[in-house]
Amino acid sequence: MMERSLTWVAAGLLAIVMVVGAVDVVAGEVFGAFLAFKVDMSGTLCAAAIFLAWPLVERRDEHIAVDLFDPITPAWLRGLRAWLALGAALVVFGLIARGMWGIALSSLAIRETSAATLGYPIWPAKIACALGASVVLVTLLFKAVARLRRGEGAA
């Protein structure tokens, strides 16, 4: 349920990016003045949207997977590969979540704003990235527990 809520927030952030982009094009064509903050805002909101949508993608296993050699790979080796991938994902997302929380909390402490002319706060987007990475980590832990309960050992 939490993953779905985070995905709705991600969709809202991407809608804002699309509206800002459309306003920028219209303002540029009609008035000859483009929005100075569009690139900054788009990058910040897209990063937050990616991290917020990632938990649902991970839970559903809808990420990109290369299965070129699956038909000729023995089942025991596919199982080992799955455990290695899950272990690597836990380590990587553990590091990402830890780093993102450090960045997010320091950004919050100084109430960091964009360098663009608008000066909008960017600390909420950094907290969103940290939250998304943390939920991915929890999702991966649940997947590992589920694999163990199903009896899918490492070999």
Side-chain angles (χ1 to χ4, degrees):
M1 181 65 181
M2 177 180 245
E3 293 106 339
R4 193 173 300 274
S5 299
L6 294 177
T7 303
W8 276 103
V9 174
L13 295 176
L14 291 177
I16 292 169
V17 170
M18 291 187 319
V19 168
V20 167
V23 168
D24 179 59
V25 169
V26 170
E29 292 298 320
V30 174
F31 303 112
F34 294 93
L35 301 177
F37 61 89
K38 70 181 174 288
V39 173
D40 242 8
M41 181 178 281
S42 296
T44 303
L45 296 183
C46 282
I50 289 167
F51 274 94
L52 290 174
W54 207 323
L56 186 62
V57 171
E58 182 58 44
R59 184 171 60 83
R60 292 180 175 177
D61 281 325
E62 292 180 342
H63 42 77
I64 296 171
V66 179
D67 56 3
L68 181 64
F69 297 108
D70 278 357
I72 59 172
T73 303
W76 70 269
L77 193 53
R78 285 195 306 265
L80 178 61
R81 183 195 63 206
W83 275 108
L84 288 173
L86 187 55
L90 282 164
V91 169
V92 168
F93 269 95
L95 293 171
I96 290 172
R98 181 175 181 240
M100 283 303 307
W101 278 113
I103 290 168
L105 293 175
S106 64
S107 180
L108 173 63
I110 63 170
R111 300 282 194 237
E112 188 176 9
T113 59
S114 164
T117 56
L118 188 61
Y120 63 91
I122 60 173
W123 59 267
K126 290 184 178 185
I127 290 175
C129 290
L131 178 63
S134 298
V135 175
V136 169
L137 185 61
V138 171
T139 302
L140 290 166
L141 287 170
F142 279 129
K143 286 174 84 171
V145 169
R147 283 183 63 93
L148 286 172
R149 284 190 176 163
R150 288 191 307 263
E152 297 177 25

